[in-house]
Amino acid sequence: MVKTIESNYIFSSEELENHSKIYAGPGAGKTYFLVENVKNIVTTNDKIVQSKAKKVLCITYTNAAVDEIKRRLERFVDCVEVYTIHGFIIEHIIKPFQEDLISIMKSDFDISVSKKGVISSQIEGLGILHGIDKKEIYSYIQNECGAQLDMSSIKYSKKIMGEVEVDNESFLNFKENGNEFAPKFKFSTEKIAKEHVLPIKKYIWSEVRKLTHNEILYFGYRILENNPTALYATRVKFPFIFIDEFQDTNPLQTLLVKMIGEKSTRIIVVGDVAQSIYSFQGAKPSDFNNFCINSDGDNKYSINGNRRSTENIVNFCNYLRKTDDNVVQCSIKTYSDEEEKKSIEAKKIHFLIGESHANEQIISDVIDEGGVVLTRTWADAFKHIQNISDEQSELLKKIYNNYNYTPIQIRAEILGHNNVKWVRAFRFIFKLWGSFKNGSFIDMLSALKLYWNINAQDITPKFIFQFNKLLCEVFDDVDGSSLTVDVIKKFNNLMFGEDYVNCQEILKSDIKITIFDELDNDKLKDSTSLLTWDTSYKLFVEVFSDNSKYMTVHQAKGLEWDKVIVSLVPIRSDKTNLLNVFSHPSLIDETASDEFVRMYYVACSRAREDLYIYIPDGCNVNEISGSLDSYIESEGCKLEYEFCSSEE
């Protein structure tokens, strides 16, 4: 039986004697619920209060969510540890039990690993072999296989070698189906010879000393499974474990959590099946629905209130999730007064049907008013960027797709990393432009530090005068159609020419800004070189930015805005179309079509006040209104909508 509660519900001491599962939809106040219950436990529960060593553990999905929970815990944070699942395993299982890790590498994979240095996780956003010379790896393989092996004809990329990892799926089949236990690796069979797999993996574990994200899960589980002391220590330190966004947990994580919860530790999971959109990482809606540790049944709760969205938006989202019986939300959005409530609640769901100038103008106006566009893929998001041509949009698509099958996350790079050369060069020139426009010494110094080890005290008035003169020359004729690469080249030619020798002396360098890496392919170079100043600047400032106006659904998860434009169009692998989404939405099954509806649901539920549904083709007014009107009649709910003009 599922007990309906509100987000301010505090577990009693009796309820905390059992494991708990909380169904909570978008805007339900899940983080508030979690944080307030954690605060209550650390101040009233004897298991925590009477022991300085014991803490509450909170596990959530992203580093941003970790930071948010820590911020909300305020002074109570010293009694709590907050991690992503990978961060928790690394800090509390992998690092403290290195000998067990090395022993399992030997017993499971017959790989002997030295004990020199700590084995940890790969750096976020980078390949596991980042910074390693391929020739060094080839030499290692040759030494392991025998000097007689001729490696001259073998040209493995670092990406391919870095993808050799423990096959978690085969391990799960063993755990779930009782198959024979035969740990193995997965790798590109067409590219890597079988006899080279073990040497490659031995090099990564023993020399690089890094684990992939999937391997962290595998070895975390295996250490607890094999070492009763490690499992006991984990249970003793964490009498209570809260896990947020549990619908995004993959099966091996679930097994690990269940193992910890079999004795003493109480597990409290919070999640929403309708927001399970990470099947590509192994997450399954059924893992949350079926999650149970106590054979007699865990406590089950449902938070049905939605503090984020208007009644119209909540009921439209209820329509999309109508196949899920566990959560039926109601709007409990608060307002400052009756006038505000009347004004905001009067806003209907806006349908934009068809590709037209009128609909494009509506989308443009909403973006100008602070709204965002949410899409299925980044290629679709690029199409909505204002005031750039179709050709420039296509270039962005090509650049982004260039990184699809690499460990580099180009969005994260543009947001703040400095590992991709062209990204660093573009960020450099934009910072210089900012200092030129605003007369900002800080922007100028920040730009220079991207390439040179320079401090504020190194910069003399003479340098500032000369450097500003240089920037005047660099940006004198730059306009929106200028090619960004050409602007960078112009800076190089001027900065390291004869007229600015004094500037070079201050920087103590005559090294020019390099735009591309020798490993960058010609397609990437050609596409990047054709980006105009306006397009590339928008990419850094409006698209891949902290306050982006354009996002994919996966990037938008956990965020919210007053105005949201949902522009989700299924791709072939989704195995559905928008007509199916509106005629009979289903989202609880583990099919591609159900996952697309979940993505649609997540996108729509980001809106607080104004929800715009953009449908370029595939549906007409009668199809949509017929489905919605039938639902409104059967449920007796308020769901007001309108169709905006699609006339040219």
Side-chain angles (χ1 to χ4, degrees), residues 582-618:
F582 285 103
S583 59
H584 46 82
S586 173
L587 51 61
I588 60 172
D589 293 330
E590 290 165 5
T591 65
S593 60
D594 278 50
E595 178 149 8
F596 179 79
V597 177
R598 293 195 293 273
M599 281 189 275
Y600 215 91
Y601 175 85
V602 169
C604 292
S605 65
R606 303 304 96 195
R608 289 191 285 250
E609 298 177 7
D610 271 314
L611 175 60
Y612 294 80
I613 308 291
Y614 175 55
I615 304 176
D617 55 47

Side-chain angles (χ1 to χ4, degrees), residues 521-541:
N521 59 54
D522 290 339
K523 288 182 179 179
L524 173 66
K525 293 178 182 178
D526 292 343
S527 298
T528 306
S529 297
L530 292 173
L531 286 181
T532 65
W533 185 264
D534 270 359
T535 298
S536 50
Y537 188 75
K538 285 177 182 290
L539 183 66
F540 276 69
V541 175

Side-chain angles (χ1 to χ4, degrees), residues 220-444:
Y221 183 89
R222 292 284 287 134
I223 289 171
L224 294 187
E225 184 181 43
N226 280 271
N227 186 341
T229 301
L231 181 56
Y232 176 76
T234 304
R235 288 169 175 162
V236 168
K237 183 166 186 177
F238 300 115
F240 300 97
I241 300 178
F242 285 76
I243 306 175
D244 195 13
E245 304 289 356
F246 195 80
Q247 75 280 346
D248 297 327
T249 301
N250 73 35
L252 189 48
Q253 295 171 28
T254 302
L255 287 179
L256 185 146
V257 169
K258 282 185 174 181
M259 178 166 47
I260 296 172
E262 286 174 355
K263 292 181 180 179
S264 66
T265 297
R266 292 297 168 253
I267 309 293
I268 300 98
V269 299
V270 185
D272 182 19
V273 168
Q275 297 185 74
S276 177
I277 58 174
Y278 288 94
S279 65
F280 61 89
Q281 293 181 353
K284 300 178 181 179
S286 60
D287 273 358
F288 180 62
N289 272 340
N290 300 332
F291 182 79
C292 182
I293 298 177
N294 188 338
S295 58
D296 295 330
D298 299 340
N299 297 332
K300 296 180 183 179
Y301 305 86
S302 176
I303 305 175
N304 290 325
N306 183 316
R307 300 176 182 276
R308 175 187 300 161
S309 305
T310 64
E311 187 176 2
N312 277 324
I313 295 173
V314 169
N315 286 337
F316 179 72
C317 290
N318 282 340
Y319 166 70
L320 293 175
R321 73 176 300 160
K322 63 182 182 178
T323 53
D324 176 26
D325 296 330
N326 289 311
V327 175
V328 180
Q329 288 199 303
C330 59
S331 176
I332 54 173
K333 185 177 176 67
T334 57
Y335 302 93
S336 59
D337 54 47
E338 283 300 317
E339 283 299 315
E340 183 188 39
K341 179 177 180 180
K342 184 177 179 181
S343 172
I344 294 176
E345 287 291 342
K347 296 179 178 180
K348 301 177 181 180
I349 308 296
H350 319 284
F351 285 94
L352 312 179
I353 310 295
E355 295 181 281
S356 67
H357 176 73
N359 283 339
E360 288 177 1
Q361 187 59 51
I362 291 172
I363 293 172
S364 178
D365 291 343
V366 172
I367 292 172
D368 287 340
E369 293 164 3
V372 298
V373 179
L374 303 183
T375 58
R376 171 69 172 79
T377 66
W378 278 112
D380 293 328
F382 296 146
K383 294 176 184 176
H384 289 292
I385 302 175
Q386 298 175 85
N387 302 319
I388 70 168
S389 66
D390 292 341
E391 290 77 13
Q392 289 286 300
S393 175
E394 189 63 25
L395 289 175
L396 293 179
K397 178 181 176 181
K398 289 179 180 178
I399 293 168
Y400 187 82
N401 288 344
N402 182 80
Y403 295 98
N404 277 350
Y405 301 103
T406 75
I408 295 172
Q409 300 174 17
I410 195 61
R411 179 177 182 270
E413 287 292 326
I414 292 175
L415 273 170
H417 297 171
N418 286 313
N419 300 304
V420 175
K421 284 192 176 180
W422 73 264
V423 171
R424 183 190 292 197
F426 277 42
R427 178 177 291 112
F428 171 78
I429 204 68
F430 292 146
K431 282 181 177 289
L432 285 186
W433 190 48
S435 75
F436 172 70
K437 286 193 306 176
N438 305 320
S440 171
F441 176 79
I442 293 176
D443 282 345
M444 181 184 73

Side-chain angles (χ1 to χ4, degrees), residues 29-197:
K30 290 181 293 183
T31 305
Y32 177 83
F33 169 83
L34 184 152
V35 167
E36 293 306 306
N37 272 280
V38 169
K39 288 180 180 178
N40 178 64
I41 289 172
V42 300
T43 54
T44 65
N45 192 278
D46 289 344
K47 293 178 181 178
I48 304 296
V49 173
Q50 296 180 5
S51 172
K52 292 182 179 180
K54 295 182 179 181
K55 294 187 177 184
V56 174
L57 172 64
C58 291
I59 295 175
T60 190
Y61 195 72
T62 66
N63 290 321
V66 167
D67 293 339
E68 176 63 14
I69 290 174
K70 286 182 177 179
R71 184 187 68 80
R72 293 200 193 188
L73 282 168
E74 299 172 322
R75 63 186 177 87
F76 301 96
V77 74
D78 290 341
C79 302
V80 187
E81 301 226 7
V82 190
Y83 294 99
T84 63
I85 185 65
H86 292 88
F88 160 67
I89 294 172
I90 283 291
E91 292 301 321
H92 288 279
I93 303 175
I94 299 291
K95 286 183 179 179
F97 298 99
Q98 290 276 297
E99 289 192 8
D100 294 89
L101 171 65
I102 292 171
S103 175
I104 292 168
M105 288 174 170
K106 177 62 178 177
S107 63
D108 288 7
F109 302 99
D110 197 26
I111 291 179
S112 298
V113 176
S114 66
K115 296 181 180 180
K116 59 172 186 179
V118 175
I119 301 173
S120 188
S121 63
Q122 68 183 97
I123 299 172
E124 191 75 35
L126 293 179
I128 202 165
L129 293 172
H130 179 77
I132 305 295
D133 189 340
K134 282 191 296 185
K135 294 178 181 178
E136 181 181 321
I137 310 172
Y138 294 164
S139 176
Y140 190 93
I141 296 172
Q142 191 166 38
N143 289 337
E144 288 291 313
C145 293
Q148 73 277 10
L149 178 67
D150 180 15
M151 293 292 295
S152 60
S153 61
I154 298 176
K155 296 181 179 180
Y156 302 144
S157 70
K158 290 197 291 185
K159 172 185 174 296
I160 290 295
M161 291 188 287
E163 288 175 349
V164 176
E165 67 175 356
V166 174
D167 188 345
N168 284 357
E169 189 172 344
S170 67
F171 180 68
L172 282 168
N173 285 334
F174 156 71
K175 298 299 294 184
E176 294 172 358
N177 303 317
N179 298 340
E180 182 180 355
F181 182 42
K184 61 181 182 179
F185 295 111
K186 61 178 182 179
F187 56 95
S188 298
T189 52
E190 304 101 24
K191 302 283 181 68
I192 295 182
K194 289 183 178 180
E195 61 269 25
H196 299 157
V197 171

